[in-house]
């Protein structure tokens, strides 16, 4: 580990690239021990090597659609670092771009598994550790696609709308041991 004491620990799903990698970089730069969770082992190891030069960073290969793998990854993080203070659930996918009438059920189910069910799965294993640590924060990445209508993206809109309205910003309160989910205004950056 870099430094003597790890004060904060964060997990980042989809941490091997894109917004997940950028978020992980921000966590590491703020002194968090950051654990990247990604199903792409090559991207995850590259990101770990890059961020490991800046601070404490680990990688765990994890397919977020596998509930048991998510549980194991979160538990491994806590076993290694002793706590979990923050989580960024950013793993996601677009799926095939087709009008609703032409979209396949397999595509729909895969997109929901990655974009919606996996977010729930991550939170259900992250929350107990945060409560035990005295609090924490979870950010579930969504998209403006959930707030606007349009053609060709029905597979994304259901997840984005759900995550945007109900799960975007969650704060864990250890005194009441509950998660409050508040709608958050989304903006493009």
């Amino acid at each position: 580990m870099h430094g003597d004491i790890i004060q904060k620990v964060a997990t980042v799903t989809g941490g091997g690239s894109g917004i997940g990698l950028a978020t992980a970089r921000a966590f590491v730069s703020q002194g968090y021990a950051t654990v990247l969770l990604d199903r792409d082992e090559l991207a995850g190891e590259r990101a770990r090597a890059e961020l490991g030069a800046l601070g404490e960073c680990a990688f765990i290969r994890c397919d977020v659609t596998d509930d048991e793998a998510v549980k194991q990854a979160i538990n491994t993080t806590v076993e290694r670092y002793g706590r979990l203070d923050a989580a960024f659930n950013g793993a996601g996918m677009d799926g095939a771009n087709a009008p609703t009438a032409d979209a396949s059920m397999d595509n729909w189910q895969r997109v929901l598994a990655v974009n919606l069910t996996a977010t729930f799965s991550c939170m259900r294993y992250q929350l107990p550790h945060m409560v035990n640590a005295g609090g924490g924060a979870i950010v579930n990445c969504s998209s403006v696609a959930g707030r606007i209508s349009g053609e060709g993206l029905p597979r994304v809109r259901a997840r984005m709308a759900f995550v945007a309205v109900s799960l975007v910003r969650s704060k864990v309160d250890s005194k009441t041991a509950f998660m409050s989910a508040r709608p958050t205004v989304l903006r493009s950056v």
Side-chain angles (χ1 to χ4, degrees), residues 78-130:
V78 173
E79 287 167 12
R80 180 172 181 175
Y81 295 106
R83 60 186 297 135
L84 180 61
D85 302 285
F88 179 81
N89 297 319
M93 64 178 288
D94 287 338
N97 190 8
T100 301
D102 298 331
S104 75
M105 187 55 73
D106 287 343
N107 182 66
W108 173 256
Q109 290 174 337
R110 176 70 180 155
V111 170
L112 286 180
V114 173
N115 294 350
L116 184 58
T117 304
T119 300
F120 171 77
S121 180
C122 289
M123 291 178 64
R124 121 186 159 97
Y125 295 116
Q126 294 159 344
L127 283 166
H129 293 294
M130 290 182 184

Side-chain angles (χ1 to χ4, degrees), residues 18 41 48 71 78 96 131 142 147-148 160 164 172 174 178 184 188:
E41 192 161 3
R48 186 209 51 77
K71 179 181 179 181
V78 173
V131 169
S142 184
R147 302 197 41 127
I148 58 173
M160 299 311 173
V172 180
S174 64
F178 77 96
T184 300
S188 298

Side-chain angles (χ1 to χ4, degrees), residues 87 89 123 126-127 130 136-140 167-170 172:
N89 297 319
M123 291 178 64
Q126 294 159 344
L127 283 166
M130 290 182 184
I138 297 173
V139 175
N140 296 312
L167 300 176
V168 167
R169 185 162 181 244
S170 304
V172 180

Side-chain angles (χ1 to χ4, degrees), residues 5 7 14 34 57 63 68 88 94 115 129 161 187:
I5 298 174
Q7 294 182 5
T34 304
C57 186
D63 179 346
E68 189 59 35
F88 179 81
D94 287 338
N115 294 350
H129 293 294
R187 61 189 169 109

Side-chain angles (χ1 to χ4, degrees), residues 129-164:
H129 293 294
M130 290 182 184
V131 169
N132 289 339
I138 297 173
V139 175
N140 296 312
C141 186
S142 184
S143 168
V144 72
R147 302 197 41 127
I148 58 173
S149 62
E151 216 175 294
L153 294 174
R155 74 225 172 272
V156 177
R157 297 199 193 290
R159 181 264 183 153
M160 299 311 173
F162 177 79
V163 172

